[in-house]
Each structure stands twice: as structure tokens, then as C-alpha cells.
Amino acid sequence: GDSVTQMEGPVTLSEEAFLTINCTYTATGYPSLFWYVQYPGEGLQLLLKATKADDKGSNKGFEATYRKETTSFHLEKGSVQVSDSAVYFCALKDDYKLSFGAGTTVTVRA
Amino acid sequence: GAVVSQHPSRVICKSGTSVKIECRSLDFQATTMFWYRQFPKQSLMLMATSNEGSKATYEQGVEKDKFLINHASLTLSTLTVTSAHPEDSSFYICSAITGGLGEQFFGPGTRLTVL
């Protein structure tokens, strides 16, 4: 079945550092790919998405490119802020079902 | 974006009792709601999908009689954990969509602890 594997955390960074969270997937079809973010005490929010190969999703300075050849959707941000501290989930959607990675906790220190 | 609420946010109960968790879409009508379970440091696992006015569709391995789901209106779905046991302790998250393949909006989750 479909599955998502993402980099284990926790990840601790200083402000303005570069962030990358690796995500790879296994799917039988042609899924859409997502990154969700969960801030402390809140529900998951959609951060960005890509629906087909070579699409790049971007939002709030974060980017991820749908790489079919490597079955990857790595999340990157060039300069993180303290407010980016959260748990990040990679996910894929085949039909209507979402399959999630385990989540990566990111802490950004001032 | 659309808002989904859950109530309660935390609940502690004794083994053998039943617990009801509510999921509400506050500013939109949710044709479909999803219930997930999340274990510590693990991914969200889909438990069931419910459509308003019809029976829920459960994922393989999820006990229908233990996790009762009711989606009586377009803004409310409930998950009842019946005869709860310590192994049912977990973080339960709901989400909702409007339309067939729309974006899922997530609730903040409910932490269930069974003593």
C-alpha cells in the first residue's frame, strides 16, 4: 500500500539557518503530495502541496518539489524563524485518503 | 481557512467506561469527516471515513463495535470509544472536507487517557 517515510527528528536549528526535511513515498498510482504543519496546541494546517511530477509547492518561504524519479518531496526553507517551530508532516493522497509520515519536530532557537 | 473544532481536548477515564469525542466544522458544511489516531512519535493512522447520514467506512483492523462513529449532520461527527481500555489511550484527530476531493481541514485533536 501507500506509505510515506520522513526524516526523524527532533531537529534543532538557530534562527536564519537552512532547514531541510527529507520525505520519500511509495505509491501505486500518481498521488498528490503535501506538507502539513502543526503548531503547538493547534490542528494540522496545509503548508504546501504538489499534484504532479516536477510541480513545486511553496508557501511562507517553504518549498518542496515533486520528484517522481526519486519518489521524494523534500521540504526546504532558506532562513528559518522562531515562529517556524512546529511539527511537520509529509503526506500523500491517493483518491481521497491521506497517508502521513511520522512527523518531524523542528525547534528554532533565537 | 475553514475551522474544525474538537471537544474535549483532553479526557481521562476509567477502564471499562465509554468516551464520546465531538468534531465540528464551524464555518462550512462537511460532507465527509475523517477520524485518525496518532500514537507518540508515529504518523496519523486513518481509522474511518464518515459521510453525513450514512454508515462510516472503517479501515482494516479498526473495530467497528469499539469505535462508534456517528455523522448525524453536516457539521457534527462523533467518535465514541466504548468500554475503553488503557491500550485505547491515544491522540484522536478528526478532519473534514466539503465536496468530494476538497482540502482536508483538521481539528486540534483529543488526548484520551484510559486508567
Side-chain angles (χ1 to χ4, degrees), chain A residues 36 38 41-46 49 89 93 95-103, chain B residues 34 36 38 41-44 46 49 59 91 93 100-104 106-108:
Chain A
Y36 284 85
Q38 186 176 30
E42 299 183 17
L44 274 72
Q45 301 173 25
L46 178 63
K49 69 178 181 182
F89 293 91
K93 186 167 76 168
D95 194 5
Y96 63 89
K97 292 184 181 181
L98 281 170
S99 298
F100 289 88
Chain B
F34 303 88
Y36 295 86
Q38 184 181 26
K41 298 185 180 181
Q42 295 189 28
S43 61
L44 282 73
L46 180 64
T49 302
E59 295 298 302
F91 196 56
I93 302 172
L101 298 176
E103 178 183 342
Q104 284 191 35
F106 287 82

Side-chain angles (χ1 to χ4, degrees), chain B residues 8 14 24 29 32 38 40 48 59 63 65 68 82 84 87 96 98 102:
Chain B
K14 293 182 178 179
R24 293 181 184 273
Q29 292 186 327
T32 303
Q38 184 181 26
E59 295 298 302
E63 298 178 59
D65 294 332
L68 300 179
T82 62
E87 57 266 29
T98 181

Side-chain angles (χ1 to χ4, degrees), chain B residues 11-88:
Chain B
V11 58
I12 300 172
C13 69
K14 293 182 178 179
S15 185
T17 60
S18 295
V19 175
K20 179 184 286 187
I21 302 170
E22 293 185 348
C23 176
R24 293 181 184 273
S25 57
L26 299 185
D27 50 2
F28 67 102
Q29 292 186 327
T31 51
T32 303
M33 287 185 168
F34 303 88
W35 285 96
Y36 295 86
R37 184 174 179 177
Q38 184 181 26
F39 292 100
K41 298 185 180 181
Q42 295 189 28
S43 61
L44 282 73
M45 302 299 296
L46 180 64
M47 298 174 66
T49 302
S50 72
N51 293 297
E52 185 264 339
S54 61
K55 290 184 179 180
T57 302
Y58 290 80
E59 295 298 302
Q60 192 173 11
V62 178
E63 298 178 59
K64 301 178 183 181
D65 294 332
K66 180 160 191 66
F67 298 100
L68 300 179
I69 292 172
N70 183 280
H71 191 163
S73 77
L74 285 171
T75 59
L76 174 65
S77 176
T78 59
L79 168 67
T80 302
V81 183
T82 62
S83 186
H85 291 283
E87 57 266 29
D88 299 325

